[in-house]
Amino acid sequence: MRHVENFLFRVRAYILAFLAVLTVVMGYFASHLHMDTGFEKMLPIGHEYIETFLKYQDDFAGANRIVVVLENEKDKTIFTPEYLKVLREATDDIFFIRGVARPTLASLWTPNTRYLEITEEGIAGGDVMPAEFKADEESMNIVRANVLKAGIVGRMVANNFESSMISAELQDIDPDTRQRLDYFRVAADLEAFRQKYEKDGISVKIVGFAKIMGDIKKGAESVVMFMGVAFLLTVAMLWLYCRSWLLTFVTLSASLCSLVWQFGILDLLGFGLDPLAVLVPFLVFAIGVSHGVQQINMVSAEIANGKTKEQAARDTFTFLLVPGSIALFTCLAGFATLYLIPIGMIRELAITASIGIGLKIISNLVMLPLLASYIAPTGEYARRVKKQMEKRERVWPYVARIAKPRNAWIMVVACAILGATGIYISKGLQIGDVHAGAAELRPDSRYNVDTRYVIDNFDIGVNILTVIVETPEGACVDHKYMSVLDRFQWEMANVEGVQSTIGLPLLAKMVGSMWREGNLKWYFLPRNTSVLAQAVGPIPTSTMTLNTTCTVLPLLIFTKDSKAVTIKKIVAAVKDFRASPENQLEGMRIRLAAGSIGVTAATNEVVEEQEIPMLLWVYAVVISLVLLTYREWRGSLCCVLPLILSTIIGNMFLTLAQIGLKISTLPVLAIAVGIGVDYGIYEYNRIQRYMRLGKTPFQAYEQALKDVGSATMFTGFTLAVGVSTWSFSALKFQADMGMLLTFMFMVNMIGAVTLLPALIAVIQQLFPKKYPPLSDEERTALMRSMH
């Protein structure tokens, strides 16, 4: 380490000049970084449901859909010339919105909205909006009759006839540019559409993935203000701690420079910032501040002990490079394990955060002490720091009592009880959304208000689970296949959380009854193939209940909400049905799942499946790095147990706060583990060295508190205060994350100053270890490093 130290400080001017140039260059590229999202990035590739979705998305879509509802608040009915004129213009405008898959566009005015009726000449059909439509009373009566005959009440027309729906699928690739579709532009176009038509008694409701992303982006832009407030609070707290603007500037500059490098690298790699991950860069910055405080704390202490600013910086670099690197590598491993989750957005986040953490090794462990060697204050500042250290040292003997054998046992047992309680409570943790609507937005947001309107006034809602039923060719006229599908539809319709279902048997029974003047006695599935063919024949493929060869007969399940518990019940019901022997026919296969709920269900299952392996990898890295560095299995155990407890407590907090574990919250737990590692490693590094000098755990911990206790507590409190401001964000998931991180930062800090030393004392009592005597040279070197 001394050789490395001498080399770096010998060429420090060149290193700092290079890093300054690098910052300017990366700043240029960072200025081009933009927010970016995509529907396919949210898909857990390789999952059973997603394979089904991708295979049939061109024929039976429904996951990436926009729904626009026009409500006639003035006349309370859609059957007016003025409303229908507005609806026609609105349909034309949606047709030309970028990214819309035009064949999927559906409204009263599109040719794929048709009706069927039985006449003296047989079955007749036509467009719901006749070609010869005129704005008169007669045409209104015709349209009203056609709507009823088409059976679209509750699906395209509201149950109270006060509003109607325009829906369309979006393509993830823009057909004009052949680039990924700009969902933020689509959201802006939809909002402009709202502003254009929301007048003269017309109210516009818009729901869909693109609109959610647009609203999240809008809210994410406001979070910059909260980040600014958090930054200013960090500056103020840092100054109060070190009482030096120079050291405050150095600490913040190091973290900000690595942030600029990170953004520049992301732009060079072609990545953008996803709105759901906009908090991650600030959290990486916070981790940098955490390490910076440890560096500045030691520099200040060295200067107070009479060292020159260069020698103080040198000793800080040498002493903290190893523990700092271990902590950062462990934190990096926590983010890297997120890559195990096969979701594009999560993997991009893993890469983004890993790059940021990796750069902290350069900015905070190398650049910061090099800067401090030039501009750290001395003289009067050293005397002020010495006085502050003396004041703080009066408190540490009381805190250190936690490492006395009796107190340590009480603390460990109490934490064990807390952990057991947390595990029990965490059984109620939901994987996915806990609340109805878009969980990322506030319940009273415009999007969630629009969603509730659609659910309350339409039967189909906005959440659809499309179950693909593969059958032999011609199964739609084979009673044994249709009867199973009919039973399937009936059972799904009666599952709690299902709003309505649409399947081919339902439509076939309706048409069969129509052939007999609507007599309900004929509302059943005929066993005769010819009669069944007569019932199925008029049903078009645009209903998405069959394909042209009758080899795919999907069942459309509309759910009341997208809560995790709702989705789990419905998916379990589908799996139970297909597992039953009586429902298994040769050549018939029931596949989950397309539709927006199919994608959500796959995402929830992937998160649930990968949560434990991800955390186990993080713990394994902590154990391995501590074991390799300190050759102490005791140290590995003492560092990892507080992390496990903090994870359990974090899950308990999520459960009690009714926050679901999903792709927006899972990274935060990884970050919290990373911060916890920082606290633990720095403390253990000091305690272990003092114990090598023959001190008891209590004595070693008391001395370690004098060295790093203030820095640890200050960091935890400062970070908690900073992120607590996010609780006021317009975005619910950012507010939730603010509360979670505030809680986790404090828990990790308290765990580092209580549970870790208590574990060391207990383990030393159970498995006493006598360190071999040190030679005079080793003792001198160790004492010099401990000052």
Side-chain angles (χ1 to χ4, degrees):
M1 286 301 303
R2 287 296 177 189
H3 287 299
V4 175
E5 170 198 319
N6 291 332
F7 171 75
L8 290 179
F9 279 82
R10 189 165 54 246
V11 295
R12 55 183 169 161
Y14 299 104
I15 294 174
L16 292 175
F18 170 77
L19 294 178
V21 173
L22 178 66
T23 303
V24 173
V25 174
M26 288 294 107
Y28 169 77
F29 291 108
S31 65
H32 295 90
L33 191 68
H34 62 281
M35 283 196 180
D36 175 55
T37 190
F39 182 74
E40 289 190 357
K41 288 170 56 177
M42 312 298 287
L43 303 180
I45 303 302
H47 193 279
E48 171 198 350
Y49 306 168
I50 302 305
E51 289 180 352
T52 301
F53 166 78
L54 295 175
K55 181 177 180 179
Y56 293 104
Q57 65 176 338
D58 293 335
D59 299 318
F60 307 103
N64 191 10
R65 192 168 61 133
I66 56 171
V67 173
V68 178
V69 173
L70 271 62
E71 179 190 10
N72 191 347
E73 293 182 331
K74 179 182 178 182
D75 301 310
K76 301 298 182 181
T77 178
I78 66 171
F79 301 115
T80 66
E82 296 79 13
Y83 177 87
L84 291 176
K85 179 183 178 182
V86 171
L87 181 64
R88 182 172 192 170
E89 293 173 357
T91 302
D92 292 341
D93 282 353
I94 296 294
F95 183 85
F96 288 107
I97 285 183
R98 184 183 297 270
V100 167
R102 292 169 181 172
T104 67
L105 182 68
S107 92
L108 291 179
W109 281 101
T110 54
N112 56 3
T113 305
R114 297 175 61 81
Y115 69 91
L116 294 175
E117 65 176 338
I118 301 296
T119 67
E120 295 84 350
E121 300 177 356
I123 286 187
D127 295 341
V128 168
M129 298 300 299
E132 63 279 4
F133 174 78
K134 296 178 182 178
D136 54 25
E137 187 63 27
E138 182 182 357
S139 293
M140 290 299 105
N141 292 332
I142 292 173
V143 171
R144 184 181 290 107
N146 290 349
V147 166
L148 294 173
K149 289 184 289 188
I152 57 175
V153 177
R155 293 193 290 128
M156 188 174 291
V157 175
N159 290 316
N160 58 8
F161 297 100
E162 293 181 7
S163 58
S164 67
M165 181 183 294
I166 306 171
S167 64
E169 290 293 320
L170 291 180
Q171 306 173 75
D172 206 50
I173 301 298
D174 191 323
D176 296 329
T177 63
R178 292 297 172 186
Q179 301 295 320
R180 177 181 290 169
L181 181 64
D182 186 347
Y183 284 89
F184 303 131
R185 179 173 175 178
V186 174
D189 290 344
L190 290 172
E191 196 56 42
F193 172 92
R194 190 202 300 272
Q195 298 302 320
K196 177 179 178 180
Y197 288 100
E198 199 160 53
K199 59 184 179 180
D200 300 329
I202 300 295
S203 176
V204 180
K205 332 288 183 184
I206 306 174
V207 296
F209 174 78
K211 195 67 183 69
I212 292 178
M213 287 296 107
D215 289 355
I216 290 176
K217 181 191 177 185
K218 186 177 179 181
E221 290 170 350
S222 69
V223 86
V224 173
M225 178 184 70
F226 295 104
M227 289 184 179
V229 172
F231 177 79
L232 292 176
L233 286 172
T234 303
V235 172
M237 296 292 290
L238 192 55
W239 181 83
L240 286 172
Y241 178 75
C242 64
R243 298 301 176 97
S244 167
W245 285 114
L246 284 175
L247 291 180
T248 300
F249 169 77
V250 167
T251 306
L252 295 174
S253 295
S255 291
L256 288 174
C257 282
S258 64
L259 202 61
V260 172
W261 304 342
Q262 178 186 6
F263 286 165
I265 292 173
L266 290 178
D267 183 67
L268 289 173
L269 293 176
F271 291 149
L273 276 181
D274 194 283
L276 293 175
V278 71
L279 300 179
V280 172
F282 179 81
L283 293 173
V284 173
F285 166 78
I287 290 173
V289 171
S290 173
H291 287 270
V293 168
Q294 295 287 349
Q295 299 275 333
I296 293 306
N297 178 67
M298 185 167 175
V299 169
S300 301
E302 294 301 290
I303 291 174
N305 287 328
K307 299 283 183 69
T308 64
K309 54 187 175 183
E310 179 179 346
Q311 190 56 50
R314 281 174 168 266
D315 289 345
T316 298
F317 167 79
T318 301
F319 188 70
L320 295 184
L321 182 63
V322 171
S325 297
I326 293 173
L328 285 173
F329 272 120
T330 305
C331 193
L332 189 152
F335 282 114
T337 52
L338 290 172
Y339 200 83
L340 295 172
I341 302 176
I343 299 175
M345 176 266 193
I346 292 290
R347 287 185 167 177
E348 280 191 17
L349 185 150
I351 294 171
T352 300
S354 298
I355 291 173
I357 295 298
L359 292 172
K360 294 297 176 192
I361 297 175
I362 299 174
S363 65
N364 288 82
L365 303 185
V366 178
M367 186 177 82
L368 195 154
L370 294 183
L371 283 171
S373 69
Y374 280 110
I375 63 175
T378 54
E380 179 61 29
Y381 175 73
R383 287 188 289 274
R384 291 203 311 270
V385 172
K386 188 75 173 177
K387 188 177 296 185
Q388 287 179 354
M389 290 173 61
E390 290 173 353
K391 288 181 180 179
R392 294 168 185 165
E393 286 179 1
R394 299 170 190 169
V395 180
W396 301 137
Y398 300 99
V399 178
R401 290 179 181 176
I402 197 71
K404 288 190 173 182
R406 179 176 175 274
N407 297 336
W409 274 105
I410 294 173
M411 184 64 194
V412 170
V413 171
C415 287
I417 295 173
L418 177 62
T421 305
I423 292 173
Y424 177 76
I425 294 176
S426 298
K427 290 180 179 179
L429 179 64
Q430 298 292 326
I431 309 297
D433 293 330
V434 177
H435 304 286
E440 293 78 12
L441 306 173
R442 296 280 187 181
D444 59 350
S445 66
R446 180 62 188 269
Y447 184 90
N448 281 329
V449 170
D450 289 352
T451 299
R452 284 194 293 272
Y453 177 88
V454 175
I455 292 173
D456 292 342
N457 292 276
F458 292 81
D459 292 335
I460 63 173
V462 296
N463 304 302
I464 178 173
L465 176 70
T466 304
V467 181
I468 302 296
V469 182
E470 297 174 341
T471 60
E473 187 173 348
C476 57
V477 294
D478 190 325
H479 182 269
K480 67 175 181 290
Y481 290 100
M482 289 288 283
S483 62
V484 172
L485 188 57
D486 184 38
R487 189 164 62 250
F488 183 34
Q489 181 174 350
W490 171 258
E491 290 194 15
M492 293 304 105
N494 288 280
V495 174
E496 184 182 356
V498 173
Q499 188 171 11
S500 64
T501 59
I502 299 176
L504 185 60
L506 174 68
L507 301 180
K509 286 187 282 187
M510 291 173 59
V511 174
S513 175
M514 289 170 57
W515 278 108
R516 285 131 185 112
E517 300 180 351
N519 192 324
L520 292 180
K521 291 182 179 180
W522 294 92
Y523 190 82
F524 64 89
L525 286 175
R527 292 183 176 274
N528 183 278
T529 301
S530 299
V531 180
L532 186 55
Q534 185 186 49
V536 173
I539 301 173
T541 56
S542 60
T543 60
M544 293 201 302
T545 58
L546 76 166
N547 62 355
T548 54
T549 59
C550 282
T551 55
V552 182
L553 309 178
L555 176 64
L556 311 182
I557 303 174
F558 296 93
T559 67
K560 294 179 180 179
D561 52 59
S562 58
K563 293 181 184 178
V565 63
T566 302
I567 295 174
K568 206 163 189 176
K569 285 180 181 177
I570 297 172
V571 170
V574 173
K575 291 181 177 179
D576 289 344
F577 182 88
R578 72 180 182 184
S580 176
E582 63 177 328
N583 300 322
Q584 296 175 3
L585 298 177
E586 184 179 355
M588 184 176 185
R589 182 185 180 192
I590 299 176
R591 296 183 58 170
L592 286 161
S596 58
I597 296 300
V599 172
T600 304
T603 303
N604 292 349
E605 289 185 10
V606 166
V607 171
E608 184 174 16
E609 179 185 340
Q610 295 295 336
E611 178 199 6
I612 300 301
M614 184 192 77
L615 291 174
L616 290 178
W617 274 109
V618 174
Y619 300 148
V621 170
V622 174
I623 292 172
S624 301
L625 287 176
V626 174
L627 196 60
L628 288 172
T629 305
Y630 299 107
R631 306 295 195 274
E632 278 276 6
W633 65 266
R634 297 168 177 78
S636 299
L637 204 58
C638 293
C639 288
V640 81
L641 287 178
L643 295 183
I644 295 174
L645 180 62
S646 70
T647 303
I648 293 171
I649 294 175
N651 287 337
M652 181 176 66
F653 178 86
L654 290 175
T655 305
L656 296 176
Q658 293 190 326
I659 302 172
L661 186 63
K662 49 191 295 188
I663 59 176
S664 59
T665 55
L666 189 61
V668 177
L669 291 179
I671 293 167
V673 170
I675 292 288
V677 169
D678 293 349
Y679 299 149
I681 293 294
Y682 279 116
E683 286 214 9
Y684 180 76
N685 183 63
R686 296 278 182 165
I687 295 172
Q688 196 257 5
R689 292 200 177 206
Y690 284 125
M691 290 181 68
R692 287 181 63 194
L693 292 173
K695 294 183 180 292
T696 65
F698 166 72
Q699 295 169 333
Y701 183 48
E702 182 180 6
Q703 189 60 44
L705 283 173
K706 295 177 182 179
D707 294 341
V708 297
S710 297
T712 299
M713 292 185 177
F714 165 80
T715 303
F717 183 73
T718 301
L719 295 180
V721 169
V723 298
S724 66
T725 60
W726 296 353
S727 302
F728 303 99
S729 172
L731 295 179
K732 187 177 184 302
F733 88 95
Q734 288 183 345
D736 291 341
M737 293 309 96
M739 292 190 297
L740 175 61
L741 283 168
T742 301
F743 180 76
M744 292 301 293
F745 285 157
M746 294 302 295
V747 165
N748 280 317
M749 182 268 287
I750 294 172
V753 299
T754 57
L755 180 56
L756 187 144
L759 284 169
I760 291 175
V762 167
I763 291 176
Q764 181 66 16
Q765 189 176 357
L766 292 175
F767 306 99
K769 176 179 180 179
K770 292 184 178 180
Y771 291 93
L774 298 174
S775 66
D776 292 339
E777 184 180 357
E778 288 174 328
R779 178 174 291 274
T780 301
L782 190 57
M783 290 296 294
R784 184 172 65 244
S785 73
M786 301 308 301
H787 321 293

